[in-house]
Amino acid sequence: MTNLTLQVEGMSCGHCVNSIEGALKGIGVNGKVDLENHTVDVSFDENQVTLAAVKEAIEEQGYDVV
Ligand SMILES: [Cu+2]
């Protein structure tokens, strides 16, 4: 398992949390949004999902991975 903390801009409320965590779940990634710190903790199997795909899933929801 790979565990990373990503810096993500534009998250502000529960809707953001749900859309990001839901999108990550959809590609087999465990995600935990921290609104105060503007971060998303992600945990995934690198044999199944690439970091690029993780970033893309977040960006597709309208947020910027720094
Ligand atoms: Cu929001």
Side-chain angles (χ1 to χ4, degrees), residues 10-19 35 63:
M11 306 183 296
S12 59
C13 68
H15 170 78
C16 302
V17 173
N18 290 337
S19 56
L35 288 177
Y63 307 97

Side-chain angles (χ1 to χ4, degrees), residues 3-65:
N3 297 291
L4 290 172
T5 299
L6 303 174
Q7 197 77 28
V8 179
E9 298 295 338
M11 306 183 296
S12 59
C13 68
H15 170 78
C16 302
V17 173
N18 290 337
S19 56
I20 289 176
E21 291 182 356
L24 291 173
K25 195 172 187 178
I27 60 165
V29 176
N30 279 321
K32 183 87 180 69
V33 173
D34 183 329
L35 288 177
E36 273 186 29
N37 292 315
H38 310 288
T39 55
V40 182
D41 288 329
V42 292
S43 168
F44 59 97
D45 181 348
E46 259 184 319
N47 295 317
Q48 308 286 338
V49 188
T50 63
L51 177 58
V54 173
K55 290 180 175 174
E56 198 176 296
I58 295 172
E59 286 169 348
E60 276 174 357
Q61 298 302 312
Y63 307 97
D64 291 322
V65 180

